[in-house]
Amino acid sequence: MILQNAFPVEAWQLRETFLDVDMLAQSESLFALSNGHIGMRGNLDEGEPHGLPGTYLNNFYELRPLPYAEAGYGYPESGQTLINVTNGKLIRLLADDEPFDVRYGELRSHERVLDLRAGTLHREVEWLTPTGRCVRIRSTRLVSLTQRAVAAIRYQVEVRDDQPLRVVLQSELVANEQLPGASDDPRVAASLQQALQPEHQARNDLWAVLVHSTKSSKLRIAAAMDHRYVTTSDCSTNNEVYEDLARATFTTVLEPGQTLELTKYLAYGWSAVRSVPAIRDQVAAALTGARHAGWDGLLAEQRAFLDEFWAGADVEVDGDAELQQAVRFALFHVMQSGARAERRPIPAKGLTGDGYDGHCFWDTETFVLPVLTYTMPHAVADVLRWRCTTGDQARERAAQLGLGGGTFPWRTIHGEECSAYWPAGTAAFHVNADIADAAVRYVNATGDTDFERTTGLRLLVDTARLWRSLGAHDRDGRFRIDGVTGPDEYTAVVDNNVYTNLMAQRNLVAAATVAERYGDEARELDVDREEMASWRDAADNMVVPYDDHLRVHPQAEGFTEHAMWDFEHTPPQNYPLLLHYPYFDLYRKQVVKQADLVLAMHLRGDAFSDAQKRRNFDYYEAITVRDSSLSACTQAVIAAEVGHLDLALDYTAEAALVDLRDLNHNTRDGLHMASLAGTWLALVAGFGGMRDHDGRLTFAPRLPGGITRLRFNLQYRGARVAVEIHPDAATYSMHGGARALTFAHHGKSVELADGRELTLPIPSPAPQPRPRQPQGREPTRRHTR
Amino acid sequence: MILQNAFPVEAWQLRETFLDVDMLAQSESLFALSNGHIGMRGNLDEGEPHGLPGTYLNNFYELRPLPYAEAGYGYPESGQTLINVTNGKLIRLLADDEPFDVRYGELRSHERVLDLRAGTLHREVEWLTPTGRCVRIRSTRLVSLTQRAVAAIRYQVEVRDDQPLRVVLQSELVANEQLPGASDDPRVAASLQQALQPEHQARNDLWAVLVHSTKSSKLRIAAAMDHRYVTTSDCSTNNEVYEDLARATFTTVLEPGQTLELTKYLAYGWSAVRSVPAIRDQVAAALTGARHAGWDGLLAEQRAFLDEFWAGADVEVDGDAELQQAVRFALFHVMQSGARAERRPIPAKGLTGDGYDGHCFWDTETFVLPVLTYTMPHAVADVLRWRCTTGDQARERAAQLGLGGGTFPWRTIHGEECSAYWPAGTAAFHVNADIADAAVRYVNATGDTDFERTTGLRLLVDTARLWRSLGAHDRDGRFRIDGVTGPDEYTAVVDNNVYTNLMAQRNLVAAATVAERYGDEARELDVDREEMASWRDAADNMVVPYDDHLRVHPQAEGFTEHAMWDFEHTPPQNYPLLLHYPYFDLYRKQVVKQADLVLAMHLRGDAFSDAQKRRNFDYYEAITVRDSSLSACTQAVIAAEVGHLDLALDYTAEAALVDLRDLNHNTRDGLHMASLAGTWLALVAGFGGMRDHDGRLTFAPRLPGGITRLRFNLQYRGARVAVEIHPDAATYSMHGGARALTFAHHGKSVELADGRELTLPIPSPAPQPRPRQPQGREPTRRHTR
């Protein structure tokens, strides 16, 4: 758990006031910089100590064998793992021959600041060497949001006592860094240790490049660095390259008050097809661009990019400063994960760590893309175009499984299924409907018909075909989808999961509608009227189980018949349950890891009555343990909808603080991108009550106690829509819209002209008794501040 | 497929008329000799060529890691594998320096005979060496059924032309034989290659011993040999030992007509606790016993043992000579697997091969023990005592899974769960009821109250506790067992599997009854009246799903709602389905690998009406593909019961010929012990209509066309009961019974006094239309011979 005083509550930055070496791995994740293409964990400039050294390039992975003691047909044999690439962050300092290492000497002060408006990680240190010399170190790191292949570091050293100091700076590129905690499987270790094979090295003056390639995935990477330095002292330089190392050295003697300032420009590139010279020249060109902008130019571009982002995406929360900070921190990282991903996936951890092998899951489409749809829509199109480029793998996988269309992988980097446990992987077919849903939402929110006609149509057709082949009509003509796993991972391989069936229903209808709309393009995909009719028919007859006795929806057929989990005798230390109980026991009892039926009530809220939502929410609250970070935000959204506003706030805070307070004890592996995105969802869909079913924008704003004002911005069909919510009224405004916006406010349809604003009263909520959660799993109460 | 002319149909032997090197692996399994303690595959005396060299000791295994790409709580981390131990079968011949190898020179004749009454494997060869010399070789091998640790070989060489011949015999013990087809997992290979570590070697005169131990399982094995030889020529001998080799050499020059006859005595012992000297002396003592008996004595003991066995176990089939041979072959191997297993398991392959890692499954209790109960009852008590000795492992496993009592492993050698795929392993809890059922049947058939009070009670209490904790009452007070896998492995992790629930019901009732009967002993196991009442209550309220619409029992809740497998578009080469379709697809459709509901109708036939049996059988026939060898025999039994006598005969032949004709193409890995046992079940429970529900013996004999007479013997409560069935009447007789036998014949209760016989008419069957099987999966029609 990260203590609150380690990171004070501040509106636009995350500031670490002292260095806790035991928390390094967590802070490396929190302080990670990324533009979606390059990711750099917040490792200390000098490399050590570290929790986990991490430099990543999106989609740069190595293959590794997936072992099975008892294999089965269709089990993936090869996994993909995001690997730590050549580390260009390293700048080592020696002060009078003492290597700067925070574990030695004395840290007089150590502060790091992630500046959410500047887009930089800044560090200031005052260090007393073991021999008693005092130096000040300032470094600023950025991963450029404007120049995709570029990162840069400014590093300054200053003598802080009255004696001259011999200073050596070693600025490095290091490939094949030694990593902590390698796998104990010798085959996995063999494939991932020394993953980079040297191919080419070059240097000139203060410039160097290293080119490597991976053994099995056959990907090639180039990393290059160049330097500028400023000092009034006499500085000599040296530059060496080896197979796995490039090192530029700067040696000088600083008089008291003198500084040595080094600017390091970094460029990264990778390719599966380009040659060594081509990729070498590619990074050389990127370096040129960085030098051309210069340090100040890079800073200025970064800030301009972020000014634009925040203008369209900022969320203001009055009354809870911690939540205010958290939602901006969350938006910043979500933005970083997608800004320049450009037809690459957004992994579950972004590029902030190697958790989950750097894989992309349904999290991206279901939690991250809905946020980006309304804050940085181009990134959504990019991610979905990436999905579409993996269509061949999806169609091959479907064929292998005896299904039509395409089935997208549960977890992947390159598009092939990498899940080695099919009941919680391959069987979770809902990922396909989640992708379709994201595409439909994007098109509705942007009006991007080019995308709809190409990527959208292709994704919808492939997924609709999947559903049509996966389900079947029963003897009463109802369309069933059997033997699948829904979002809740504590139940698997069930019949007629409500979430899956409702999302498949939307998928089938959308496919028919879009295929109808683009008849020529649909015919090229061999879609005919019969096929479209069969999609509509399946959607019309979709089974949605309902328990007439309890008057709630069972999460899946038979779910409410199962024995209840024995929460009373489950000690707190036995959570998360999957680490302490076998799947077989979790699967056959009523215990929910993460919102499943409740998520259906969010994303397919149009399929439930208000009364059903209230009863369902209460029922599932009592059995949902939130062992997944993909739960609290959804519970917040529906809690707010059904009137449990304080509970919704509790869940919002849980989603928001998952990494800032390391609530799940695994922030060290990278940030929980979906939960961070969920913070926005909890505020906007929860307290803003925003829904976008079938492209109809609706709001039902209502604030919980303690929040005095909530304002959020949406990008919607080229316009900027702002919603400012006070306890008794909400004000809507729009700028840049081509035509008036029609939306609903608490069920009443209204129209808003461009450049105007509209204030509408908020009806009082009906008081609701707070539902019960499983014993010991109640969310932390968020007291009014 | 094994051609019929390779093994002519003969009543009391299996004779191979010529050597087909490509069929060596299959014939090694068919010709395996075993007493349940030692197992020797029918490898050629000279060792090579071979399909799979195999010498096994029951329960002598090595550990190996079980790898998981995605591990879960409670997954077994260590597997157990039966290993090939020191090979004592080897006798190599050199004739004028030419090593005898069937691949060189010319085989003038080669015949092997497995003699089912002598209990020997005999071989006669006439071989022309590559240089044109003619020798005759005769060998006879036995694994003693009377001296558990002993095997012996008599080997004779004779010159068959008119020149003197230099003959060298090398009789060997070889440890760590090189095996074909090692695992491609380096960790598994590392643990199983060179599995035996040398500890001790000794020799004296013509005697030698090798002691080894395993690396991980820490088991110690000693193998010893001694020799006697007879020749009128001048023979010199030599005897050497090395770490992995002992070799006794016999060199002579044979004149035409002269013979060299070698008798090799072998002794094996192993222990997890005994020291090198102790185990060395143990095998030395066993050798002494063998020499004391001498070759002729061993042969005589063997025949006497078998005379006794056949007197009580033989089945006579008139009208189908192939089936007559097959049932005796089957009974012989079933007898071999259990004769001297003595508190060790009977593996799925017996000791005839290393298929399934040499593991014991539910097959033993459900298919093998019902046969042994009525033919060699002491072996049943031994196997169940072995199960009981693994109670600690079962109780630990249950505790690990959060369950009460004990849960026995799906597959094991030493008692720990070794299944690495829990949906088809750990979840198949029915193994516990199968064990309980075997114990109840044994006690009913023998009246062995000592066993019932000790082993029986313990097994019943542990398994009843398991069921009580695994199931739960629903809101209507019905007792459900959710999330388990029944016998059919093409459906997994389901609610209320009919087979499981009915077998658990019997288990719970039996536990309460036996605990009531032995109150003192039950109290020592902390069983009180409340617990017994809770068992009876759960049994009384057991859920047995029924589909009112189709008027059949769904195999499990919801099964008949699922889509049908597309049999029409499943090409023949795609069977067995599990090698060509993913589990997820098999699990969610109506397709049955092996009798499940149909097995319930056999073992819990008392829970179904006649009409239900007919409808259920027809329904499941249409979707059962028999991808498991555990299916045909059960289908035979119920087919006969519901009146499809010709179909029953087809299935009986399929069960009977599974290995003799290599129907499943895997006889090379060892014999299908359960299917062999199933041959007896098909005849006795099928055409004999024998059932033993609740200890009441009932018969409903009825012969299919072509079978003119069927006679079988049962050992029952100390008596020998014989049943001889003709088309229109059956004759029952009893010898050695303490009191009259009450049983039912076609539903009518009758009484049979000791020493008397009773002939009763067989009612005519109602004609039934033959049910349909999945396209292409119809059994081979057995034409009347």
Side-chain angles (χ1 to χ4, degrees), chain B residues 111-129:
Chain B
E111 185 173 272
R112 292 191 288 178
V113 176
L114 179 69
D115 186 319
L116 306 177
R117 283 183 292 201
T120 56
L121 176 63
H122 184 71
R123 180 188 188 196
E124 293 217 17
V125 184
E126 196 162 291
W127 182 59
L128 219 55
T129 71

Side-chain angles (χ1 to χ4, degrees), chain B residues 16 41 45 54 69 77 98 134 187 235 290 309 425 437 498 513 529 533 561 595 636 661 680 689 695 698 766:
Chain B
E16 183 192 49
R41 283 173 63 81
D45 302 292
E77 287 169 13
E98 282 290 344
C134 187
R187 290 173 303 166
C235 182
F309 171 73
D437 185 45
V498 169
T513 305
R529 295 205 158 272
E561 304 280 335
R661 299 289 170 262
W680 186 94
T698 61

Side-chain angles (χ1 to χ4, degrees), chain A residues 710-728:
Chain A
L710 171 67
R711 182 187 169 94
F712 56 84
N713 296 282
L714 305 173
Q715 304 203 29
Y716 193 74
R717 300 188 186 169
R720 281 197 179 153
V721 177
V723 181
E724 178 158 327
I725 307 165
H726 292 263
D728 51 359

Side-chain angles (χ1 to χ4, degrees), chain A residues 64 66-73 75 184-187 400-403 411 418-423 426-427 429 469-472 474-475 480 482-483 493 495 547 549-550 558 560-563 578-585 587-588, chain B residues 64 66-73 75 184-187 400-403 411 418-423 426 429 469-472 474-475 478 480 482-483 493 495 547 549-550 558 560-563 578-585 587-588:
Chain A
R64 63 182 180 89
L66 294 177
Y68 303 96
E70 293 184 26
Y73 174 87
Y75 284 17
D184 60 354
D185 185 319
R187 290 175 303 166
Q400 184 186 33
L401 299 178
L403 297 168
R411 53 188 302 172
C418 295
S419 169
Y421 176 60
W422 74 265
T426 296
F429 287 98
S469 68
L470 189 63
D474 68 10
R475 55 189 173 228
R480 301 169 56 88
D482 290 344
V493 191
D495 297 342
D547 184 328
H549 179 87
L550 295 175
T560 50
E561 302 281 334
H562 289 172
L578 83 166
L579 298 184
H580 302 91
Y581 300 92
Y583 285 127
F584 108 83
D585 208 26
Y587 287 179
R588 72 203 188 87
Chain B
R64 63 183 181 89
L66 294 176
Y68 303 95
E70 293 184 26
Y73 174 88
Y75 284 18
D184 62 353
D185 184 320
R187 290 173 303 166
Q400 185 187 32
L401 299 177
L403 297 168
R411 56 189 300 173
C418 294
S419 167
Y421 176 59
W422 74 263
T426 296
F429 286 98
S469 67
L470 189 64
D474 69 8
R475 56 188 172 228
R478 304 183 318 156
R480 301 170 56 87
D482 289 345
V493 190
D495 297 341
D547 184 327
H549 179 87
L550 295 175
T560 49
E561 304 280 335
H562 289 172
L578 84 166
L579 298 184
H580 302 90
Y581 300 93
Y583 285 126
F584 107 85
D585 208 26
Y587 287 179
R588 70 204 189 87

Side-chain angles (χ1 to χ4, degrees), chain A residues 444-679:
Chain A
N444 283 336
T446 60
D448 186 346
T449 51
D450 275 356
F451 174 93
E452 185 180 43
R453 199 185 64 248
T454 53
T455 305
L457 175 68
R458 176 88 245 196
L459 288 172
L460 287 170
V461 167
D462 278 345
T463 49
R465 285 174 169 164
L466 173 83
W467 294 117
R468 190 61 193 78
S469 68
L470 189 63
H473 288 87
D474 68 10
R475 55 189 173 228
D476 301 321
R478 304 183 319 156
F479 192 76
R480 301 169 56 88
I481 303 177
D482 290 344
V484 305
T485 299
D488 168 29
E489 295 175 6
Y490 285 171
T491 295
V493 191
V494 292
D495 297 342
N496 296 310
N497 171 259
V498 170
Y499 174 86
T500 303
N501 286 21
L502 287 175
M503 294 298 284
Q505 185 179 51
R506 171 175 289 170
N507 191 161
L508 288 159
V509 170
T513 305
V514 173
E516 186 84 45
R517 191 172 297 157
Y518 303 100
D520 292 345
E521 290 81 357
R523 270 186 295 279
E524 280 175 35
L525 301 176
D526 296 323
V527 179
D528 60 19
R529 294 207 158 271
E530 289 304 321
E531 187 169 20
M532 286 187 263
S534 83
W535 295 341
R536 287 200 192 90
D537 165 73
D540 285 348
N541 293 294
M542 189 66 72
V543 169
V544 179
Y546 188 72
D547 184 328
D548 290 315
H549 179 87
L550 295 175
R551 299 206 302 152
V552 297
H553 286 82
Q555 183 174 291
E557 204 102 59
F559 180 80
T560 50
E561 302 281 334
H562 289 172
M564 280 286 165
W565 187 262
D566 184 0
F567 297 106
E568 196 188 334
H569 294 102
T570 304
Q573 66 273 19
N574 280 7
Y575 291 89
L577 300 175
L578 83 166
L579 298 184
H580 302 91
Y581 300 92
Y583 285 127
F584 108 83
D585 208 26
L586 294 165
Y587 287 179
R588 72 203 188 87
K589 290 185 177 159
Q590 291 194 59
V591 54
V592 176
K593 185 183 181 194
Q594 61 204 104
D596 185 308
L597 195 277
V598 172
L599 182 60
M601 295 201 296
H602 175 198
L603 298 180
R604 284 303 316 276
D606 52 329
F608 298 84
S609 72
D610 289 347
Q612 285 173 344
K613 283 178 186 166
R614 274 196 300 276
R615 287 195 305 267
N616 285 342
F617 183 77
D618 282 11
Y619 188 86
Y620 286 94
E621 272 297 279
I623 56 177
T624 301
V625 296
R626 304 194 312 290
D627 278 352
S628 163
S629 64
L630 304 186
S631 200
C633 64
T634 302
Q635 288 170 272
V637 169
I638 302 302
E641 178 172 359
V642 302
H644 305 301
L645 292 163
D646 293 343
L647 179 61
L649 183 61
D650 299 344
Y651 284 137
T652 303
E654 183 172 304
L657 299 175
V658 64
D659 288 313
L660 285 172
R661 300 287 171 265
D662 195 13
L663 299 182
N664 288 10
H665 312 293
N666 56 5
T667 292
R668 61 182 177 273
D669 304 326
L671 302 180
H672 297 77
M673 220 42 81
S675 187
L676 295 179
T679 310

